[in-house]
Amino acid sequence: MSERSFDVWAAGDPYERYMGRWSRRVADTFVRWLDCPPEARWLDIGCGSGALTSAVAVRCRPRALLGVERSAGFAAAARAAASPPARVAVADAQALPVRDAVFDAAVSGLVLNFLPDPGLALAEAARVVRPGGVVAAYVWDYGEGMGFLHHFWAAATTVDPSAAAHDEGRRFPLCRPSALRPLWTGAGLTEVTVAPVEIPTLFTDFDDLWRPFLSGQGPAPGYVAALSPDVRERLRRALHERLPARADGTIALTARAWAVRGRKPGASAA
């Protein structure tokens, strides 16, 4: 299996078990941090299974809300979860089928590191936002802030030293403020702010943490799917041994994302 195939996201249910349950919590905190006014027009770029779209719909009372997603499987999941005024369309983040200056806010959750050209996607987001509008996103802190992934890749590397090459912390540069801020300013956005968003990730037991890695979807699960059964079992045991389980079997970790926002120059925000 190639490294690129490890990154494929295609279906909502496996994603929900692996990452969606945590991304929903981050989405809610992110939207509260944005503090955008009601009755705005929103675009959710790379909406996946709809975590951020749903958070905007619940918290922001939008006048209009469009989620776009390249994967038909994810778009179907987001569409099934959406409620008015939210709509979901299949579209590429790097070539948005939207006119210039239509939206008040363009947002994106956990997508930038999986795009061939994040700069192009950001330029598209800025294009479709009106002057004075907001362009914002958040990404996981793969380098230092994702507890369960940190433990996973540390265990994987002890079993298979070549696993280090697949660690998102090494592969994805847009997981730190030092990379996000210049991307936003380079796109001509102003008032750029980067802030951490941290959530608890409580697993009921080891199985609750391990089984989502068997989905085959995403970088770490894709790596697991490519292993032989005996190496996979060695990895399972190594991960089990290093996790800090409580007396009742629960595993309490944290996950951190970095949120970034900026404003399109022009008219002042409404």
Side-chain angles (χ1 to χ4, degrees):
M1 180 179 289
S2 70
E3 180 176 280
R4 181 174 176 79
S5 66
F6 290 167
D7 296 342
V8 172
W9 301 103
D13 287 347
Y15 176 82
E16 190 64 28
R17 292 189 295 273
Y18 173 55
M19 197 66 77
R21 51 182 166 167
W22 315 125
S23 66
R24 290 183 182 280
R25 295 185 183 184
V26 173
D28 186 68
T29 303
F30 169 75
V31 169
R32 285 189 279 115
W33 174 71
L34 282 180
D35 192 28
C36 286
E39 294 298 314
R41 298 180 181 274
W42 289 75
L43 175 66
D44 181 5
I45 301 170
C47 67
S49 58
L52 181 51
T53 306
S54 296
V56 170
V58 169
R59 289 203 170 270
C60 301
R61 291 179 291 156
R63 177 186 306 177
L65 172 56
L66 174 64
V68 295
E69 168 57 47
R70 186 173 183 177
S71 162
F74 266 129
R79 195 175 292 117
S83 57
R87 297 183 297 113
V88 178
V90 177
D92 189 339
Q94 299 174 143
L96 296 171
V98 177
R99 300 191 309 275
D100 293 358
V102 173
F103 294 95
D104 301 299
V107 294
S108 181
L110 310 177
V111 174
L112 289 175
N113 282 297
F114 297 94
L115 298 176
D117 190 341
L120 177 57
L122 185 58
E124 276 289 271
R127 176 184 66 80
V128 303
V129 167
R130 64 173 178 79
V134 171
V135 178
Y138 55 96
V139 296
W140 287 126
D141 181 357
Y142 290 118
E144 299 177 357
M146 290 294 288
F148 69 92
L149 282 178
H150 169 75
H151 285 291
F152 172 85
W153 287 116
T157 303
T158 63
V159 172
D160 168 24
S162 70
H166 303 297
D167 185 337
E168 293 101 321
R170 297 191 181 196
R171 293 178 48 216
F172 295 152
L174 295 177
C175 64
R176 299 171 177 84
S178 60
L180 291 169
R181 187 180 298 276
L183 184 65
W184 252 244
T185 57
L189 299 167
T190 62
E191 302 177 38
V192 176
T193 303
V194 183
V197 179
E198 191 167 284
I199 61 165
T201 55
L202 179 64
F203 299 90
T204 57
D205 53 24
F206 176 74
D207 198 52
D208 185 34
L209 184 148
W210 170 249
R211 280 195 173 275
F213 283 108
L214 304 179
S215 70
Q217 184 172 265
Y223 168 78
V224 173
L227 298 175
S228 64
D230 63 315
V231 176
R232 189 178 305 127
E233 174 59 21
R234 287 167 54 203
L235 170 56
R236 188 192 69 80
R237 291 197 302 266
L239 179 57
H240 190 280
E241 289 172 1
R242 68 171 289 117
L243 286 168
R246 295 169 168 175
D248 63 357
T250 58
I251 301 168
L253 302 170
T254 59
R256 182 171 64 207
W258 288 107
V260 55
R261 67 185 175 200
R263 197 171 297 280
K264 185 173 180 178
S268 61

